[in-house]
Amino acid sequence: MSGPRLRPDHRDSLSSFQYKGMVASKWAMIRPFFLILTLHSLAIYLFTRGFLLTRTELSSFSHCSDKSQSPCSIPSPTNNANASFLGDHPPKSESNGQCWTRPAVDRLVIIILDALRFDFVAPSFFFEEKKPWMDKLEVLQKLASNDRTSSRIFKAIADPPTTSLQRLKGLTTGGLPTFIDVGNSFGAPAIVEDNLIFQLANNGKRVLMMGDDTWVKLFPHHFNESYPYPSFNVKDLDTVDNGVIEHLLPSLLRDDWDVLIAHFLGVDHAGHIYGVDSTPMIAKLEQYNNILEEVVQVLKNQSGSGGLHENTLLVVMGDHGQTLNGDHGGGTAEEVETSLFAMSLKNPPAPVATVLDKNYCHLDLDGKKICIGTFQQLDFAVTMASLLGIPFPFGSIGRINPELYALTGRTWETHNQCAEKFGSHSTLESWMLNYVNSLCVNTWQVKRYIDLYSMTSVIGLPAEDLRYINVLYSQAQGSWLDIMKFALSSENGTNIRITDNTASVLQRQIDSYSRFLEGVAELARFAWTEFNLMLMGFGLCVMLTSLCVHLYSIRTVHGLCKSYYPFSGSSASLRILTVIFLVAIRAVSFLSNSYILAEGRVASFLLGTSGILNLWFSSDTGEVAVEDLLFLVLNIIIRFSIESGISKETIGSSSSIVHSFGSTGIEKGWSLMIGLLELLPILALSILVVLIYIIISRNSFGKRLKHFYTMGNILCCMLMSVHWIVESNIIAASEELKNFGKTFAPRIIYSIGLLHFVLLALSLTINKKYIVPVSNPTDALAIVATSMLSAWSSTILILLGRQGPNVALVCILGAWCITRLKWAAQVDAESGTATGPIFNPMPVLQWSLLAVCLFFYTGHWCTFDGLRYAAAFIGFEHFNIVQQGILLAIDTFGVSHIIPVLSIPFLVISKHQISKKKHPDGLLFINLTQAFLIYGLITAFTTTLTIICVTIQRRHLMVWGLFAPKYVFDVLGLLVTDVLICVGSLFYY
């Protein structure tokens, strides 16, 4: 690993300063890489601290005694010394279950079906086209149709990002999610701010939880009893669900709980692995339908007078939706739209229809009306707290949902004390009075939270928006006081009767409170995150400084190149300007959200444009090279693959088909198409093995090391074949073979790759001749680069799944075309030597664009729903944040960063092999430094434009759903690129 040195006969051609720089240790060459890495790390740290700040979590908690501070209490005309809460008991009645509101339900059953799409629950006649996964939860549809006054389907709207951790946190706190929490999705920290679960436990409610173990991580000390099951093995569709089923039905017959939470995960995992339109998904939905039928039956059997579930509320809901590919995390309609079904065992009176039937309704096949309401998940915590009669979470900014509030029969009752004071009312007026009272408390709570947040937060909320909110609040509370003063008249000094049109008066008050609460929610969604513009500015300045350092380093290395060959010409300048133009087009496209969504197609278009330019530059020779045509054909294949989503959708479909055959026991009579789908990856893998063998055998490895690397790679490919065959159920394998193929085969592959890497590092450190027995620096560099790729490739291939061999072949063919460009060779011939990347940066740009295309080709996207979580569990059944995090990172950045960066030496090696002139030893490493710097500059420049983009678009509607994830992926990709360049330089120089 000694640094590059010049032969004595070339020393005279260099100045003293240049020569000293060249004969210095390798650190003289790689020092700029570490400086650039440091600057990038600092810039990203500063900008991220300014851009992705979370909202301030207040340490305040709500208490029953806080009610006395509420303006919702008015003096009683019969006894001004006492205060009463409208429609409620006085504060002193807390011991009877009364707190902020009168409890409307005695028990609450919450069943969460993770990743429950809206069209899983809503009847198919609400949609233009019926899909195979629709109408599988028939029990919920029948209840909503037959028991319209006590059962209702809602379209529930979640706030992005739609990761499970953030959704559970939002559901229980009543606040909006913060983007930075996405990083905690794999290791959920305990929630420290006020939340629904804390209020339940603090007010004597007994909570029973079963299912997803994320609940016990978020609330480690709040459950009276819990049955958690590991949730991150997305390949496991049944463990969590079976555990919930085991405890759910028996628990419904027990009286030692007040709130039951059951969290199923099968649908979420089936979506991640197989997609929505798959046999396993439909089987899961049918299983859930059977379970829900049993749950409903048990509840109804115990709902009679004095029964265990006489006044129980059942809620079946999703925490978020999912795309057709089974992904979630972003802000698309498929991801944020989920379902909520509610059924009250205590039927409300007939006038409930006046509240419920204001929504979207259709007639089912039997001619019965079925209506669907709308529910904001932001409203869940405060609505449940109101129905249970506990304090609302201090940080909740939601509104008590009127439809869900109306489903419960007790909200339609007028308390005796209330009847004495306000006289007789219609049933509807009694409900409206109760709802107004609850909204009054709701509004007061949100206002005091906003006031405290504005005073204690570092930046707070915009002053103009706060003034607007204060006006809405004053109007709402002022109108209520006016109603109490002028719309209430005394009769015989004993009763208070609401005169005029009572319902219209109360409806106007409901509208006033709703306007305030909706205004606060809109303000929070617009300006919740606190942007520290100073830190963002410092981060951007450091990033721009790093670009200057990059350019200066390239200029310095370019000066060393001139000592070997003075070169100038319009053709070189034209190529450099062309590269700058293409890089600028891609970088500027990030200013548009549409182009970010189409980033894969943009990169493919630019790669194709560079291929056409290859033909144009090659036209000077009067002939068209085969590599140029093959490169264009390859780009067309990549483009169509990106367009059709081949990497994820087809794999999911194929897997689901295979799964359906395996699950029904059909192992014979396979159709030819299905057999080919399973055998093609293995065939491609065989071709790949031959190519690897040829590449390794042609390199001048040490004899023992060559055999070790050859046998290691062949063994890895054989183990991959076993793994895929066992997973696909092509053959009837024993349990031992299945366990080996699914668990031990991938682990052996990981171990072989790690052993290759460690052996390479030790060989270069202790005795370089053991691995590089040649003195030719070009051959030596080829050996080390091949060894490095050999260490990483097998792990990356198995994580990519069955698409891995095809991706590898595309990558190898693309690299071969780029390194064999005919017009590049012509430039070398003109100068008589290898000019280096600075005079011809087009291959480096194509290398970079090919890497971007491969990222999208393999089914990744710059959003969190683009992460292929299943890859993290290849070879493992249980979740460990370190090992699963490493595997997920390798899968995400494998073909787009690790392989391309570590392959850069081949760009330089090919040029030196094409050139007919013998080069000084040091020139090879100067050219390699140029290639690394140019590749890093392209990545850094596009990332800088991403940073500028998110700065400009920080108030854009899609900032958290699109721009922020793009920023996270780009800056992580830049850091990975910098680290790989530093590591590569340590191995290659």
Side-chain angles (χ1 to χ4, degrees), residues 146-162:
N146 297 333
D147 303 327
R148 288 177 42 242
T149 59
S150 59
S151 302
R152 175 56 53 106
I153 293 174
F154 296 87
K155 175 190 283 187
I157 308 298
D159 289 288
T162 49

Side-chain angles (χ1 to χ4, degrees), residues 556-783:
T556 302
V557 177
H558 178 52
L560 295 176
C561 289
K562 285 185 176 179
S563 302
Y564 287 99
Y565 45 79
F567 183 83
S568 62
S570 59
S571 60
S573 299
L574 178 60
R575 292 181 176 88
I576 294 173
L577 291 175
T578 302
V579 169
I580 293 174
F581 179 70
L582 293 178
V583 173
I585 288 177
R586 178 167 181 262
V588 173
S589 70
F590 296 155
L591 294 172
S592 167
N593 61 306
S594 299
Y595 281 105
I596 291 178
L597 290 171
E599 183 181 0
R601 284 174 285 176
V602 171
S604 176
F605 171 78
L606 295 176
L607 186 63
T609 301
S610 69
I612 295 173
L613 290 175
N614 288 348
L615 291 174
W616 180 45
F617 286 128
S618 299
S619 62
D620 295 339
T621 64
E623 60 182 24
V624 176
V626 176
E627 302 89 61
D628 296 334
L629 295 177
L630 179 60
F631 186 74
L632 289 177
V633 172
L634 200 63
N635 182 69
I636 293 173
I637 294 174
I638 293 173
R639 176 59 181 267
F640 276 105
S641 299
I642 293 174
E643 290 282 356
S644 61
I646 181 174
S647 52
K648 197 151 192 178
E649 292 180 14
T650 57
I651 288 174
S653 301
S654 173
S655 299
S656 63
I657 293 172
V658 172
H659 184 278
S660 66
F661 276 94
S663 62
T664 55
I666 299 176
E667 295 175 355
K668 294 182 179 180
W670 284 71
S671 69
L672 179 62
M673 181 176 294
I674 294 177
L676 287 176
L677 282 174
E678 297 304 318
L679 292 176
L680 278 177
I682 299 175
L683 178 62
L685 190 62
S686 303
I687 299 173
L688 192 60
V689 169
V690 175
L691 289 176
I692 292 174
Y693 177 77
I694 294 173
I695 292 172
I696 294 178
S697 62
R698 287 186 176 181
N699 280 312
S700 304
F701 280 92
K703 186 176 181 181
R704 294 180 181 177
L705 203 61
K706 178 183 291 188
H707 291 314
F708 177 78
Y709 274 98
T710 303
M711 294 305 298
N713 281 282
I714 292 176
L715 177 60
C716 286
C717 291
M718 292 174 61
L719 291 172
M720 274 184 243
S721 299
V722 173
H723 175 72
W724 293 335
I725 290 173
V726 168
E727 276 204 331
S728 64
N729 294 326
I730 293 179
I731 60 174
S734 64
E735 288 300 321
E736 292 77 9
L737 181 58
K738 286 183 178 180
N739 186 50
F740 174 81
K742 292 183 178 180
T743 303
F744 291 101
R747 295 183 185 182
I748 295 173
I749 293 173
Y750 303 150
S751 302
I752 292 174
L754 180 61
L755 184 60
H756 279 184
F757 184 81
V758 172
L759 181 61
L760 176 61
L762 291 176
S763 300
L764 293 175
T765 303
I766 299 173
N767 185 4
K768 188 174 182 179
K769 290 185 178 179
Y770 183 75
I771 188 173
V772 187
V774 296
S775 57
N776 187 329
T778 303
D779 293 340
L781 180 60
I783 292 172

Side-chain angles (χ1 to χ4, degrees), residues 811-889:
C811 185
I812 291 173
L813 287 175
W816 183 78
C817 292
I818 293 173
T819 56
R820 302 293 297 178
L821 294 178
K822 186 71 175 178
W823 63 272
Q826 183 65 26
V827 173
D828 291 340
E830 290 176 2
S831 63
T833 185
T835 56
I838 189 64
F839 294 110
N840 184 21
M842 182 65 79
V844 181
L845 172 63
Q846 291 176 325
W847 206 265
S848 175
L849 291 175
L850 179 62
V852 175
C853 290
L854 290 176
F855 177 80
F856 294 95
Y857 178 81
T858 51
H860 295 92
W861 299 277
C862 290
T863 56
F864 293 102
D865 58 349
L867 294 173
R868 295 167 8 100
Y869 297 104
F873 289 91
I874 293 179
F876 297 93
E877 296 294 333
H878 302 291
F879 175 75
N880 178 283
I881 190 170
V882 175
Q883 67 187 19
Q884 266 58 65
I886 291 174
L887 291 179
L888 186 62

